[in-house]
Amino acid sequence: KIKGRQHASVSWSGASSSYVDIYRIGVKISTPKNSGGYTDNIGQKGGGSYSYKVCEANTSTCSSPAGVTF
């Protein structure tokens, strides 16, 4: 958390595409360059739990879900 707002750092390796799709709780939230890292500025206050997965862009080749709890 930064100033009470939720932020999650997502990191990955092994993707071969130029871009990846980032999913939070099953909903695509971003398609950044395949740099190996992304910060999700959730912006909510308080606690919460979220699951993330990273997929090669526009494919069904994905990581296993990983969770974060605030």
Side-chain angles (χ1 to χ4, degrees):
K1 292 183 183 180
I2 299 174
K3 294 185 181 179
R5 303 258 182 210
Q6 299 169 347
H7 293 56
S9 295
V10 180
S11 61
W12 64 90
S13 63
S16 61
S17 61
S18 297
Y19 290 85
V20 295
D21 292 328
I22 309 286
Y23 289 82
R24 179 188 342 119
I25 316 171
V27 177
K28 183 166 66 171
I29 58 169
S30 186
T31 305
K33 286 187 177 185
N34 182 9
S35 65
Y38 174 80
T39 299
D40 181 19
N41 296 310
I42 302 164
Q44 299 293 320
K45 286 187 173 185
S49 293
Y50 304 93
S51 65
Y52 289 88
K53 70 178 179 177
V54 178
C55 303
E56 296 205 22
N58 301 312
T59 74
S60 60
T61 304
C62 302
S63 68
S64 297
V68 62
T69 301
F70 295 98

